[in-house]
Each structure stands twice: as structure tokens, then as C-alpha cells.
Amino acid sequence: MKEFEYNRLRADYLQLALMTISYFILNFEDMILHKGRYAFDLTVSMEGKQLLLSAVYQMPSSQHKDSKFYFQVKKEDVDLKLIIDGNYDVACSYVKDIIDEYLRRVKK
């Protein structure tokens, strides 16, 4: 069965990760740090379709020497086939580095 263009949405892990970091920086002062973690959800629109991004940033601590960032993508339209390109680990690594640098500068 042939897939129709309107049922398909292409995204890139780096693009979604950069949307997430933008949200983090713009809303940082309103976010709550809980047990060394920032967890947040945001809805983004791509090509007129809604995607839910759930993200977690974990700060370095005595238990965790390094910071961590991860996110997941959920689609709200069950008829939509989401095709994601790129490397998830690389996207998360870029965002982690950006957040680390941002927090380092904000703390000064």
C-alpha cells in the first residue's frame, strides 16, 4: 500500500534537539530543578503537525560526574508516520554541551 505524502512527516534529531534547547534557555528561570534534573515537555509544530517532545537534563553531581540530556518524541496524530533522520546520541551530546555552557555562564 502506497503511503500518501500527508501521512508522513520527516524530522531530524538535531532539529528536534535544537528546539528543545531553545525552550530550555527561554524558560530556564521558570523551570524547577528537582533532584538535580530539569524535566519538561513541549509541543512543537512541524509542517502543521503537532509533536510532543519530553526532555530531561541532569546536572553533574557527586553521584553523576557528567551531565546528561535525553529526549523522546511522541506524535499526537495516530495516522501520522514520523520518520526521523540523524543520530540521536550526537544530537543529545550537542544539546548537553550547549546547556552545560549556558548554565556555566548563568551561574557567574
Side-chain angles (χ1 to χ4, degrees), residues 22-35:
S22 299
Y23 179 87
F24 180 90
I25 291 172
L26 292 172
N27 296 283
F28 171 70
E29 292 187 6
D30 298 325
M31 297 180 78
I32 298 173
L33 178 63
H34 179 69
K35 295 185 179 179

Side-chain angles (χ1 to χ4, degrees), residues 23-71:
Y23 179 87
F24 180 90
I25 291 172
L26 292 172
N27 296 283
F28 171 70
E29 292 187 6
D30 298 325
M31 297 180 78
I32 298 173
L33 178 63
H34 179 69
K35 295 185 179 179
R37 296 170 25 151
Y38 292 95
F40 51 100
D41 293 331
L42 65 144
T43 302
V44 298
S45 180
M46 295 185 66
E47 298 179 19
K49 302 290 186 182
Q50 299 297 310
L51 298 177
L52 178 65
L53 301 181
S54 298
V56 174
Y57 171 78
Q58 182 170 331
M59 299 184 73
S61 66
S62 58
Q63 298 167 334
H64 304 283
K65 300 282 186 229
D66 296 321
S67 58
K68 295 179 185 174
F69 173 83
Y70 55 92
F71 73 104

Side-chain angles (χ1 to χ4, degrees), residues 3 51 58 73 77 79:
E3 293 179 48
L51 298 177
Q58 182 170 331
V73 185
D77 182 350
D79 294 331

Side-chain angles (χ1 to χ4, degrees), residues 3-11 75 77-84:
E3 293 179 48
F4 294 100
E5 187 64 33
Y6 68 86
N7 271 348
R8 207 170 35 217
L9 176 64
R10 287 196 169 275
K75 56 189 179 197
D77 182 350
V78 293
D79 294 331
L80 177 67
K81 181 174 182 182
L82 179 61
I83 301 166
I84 305 181

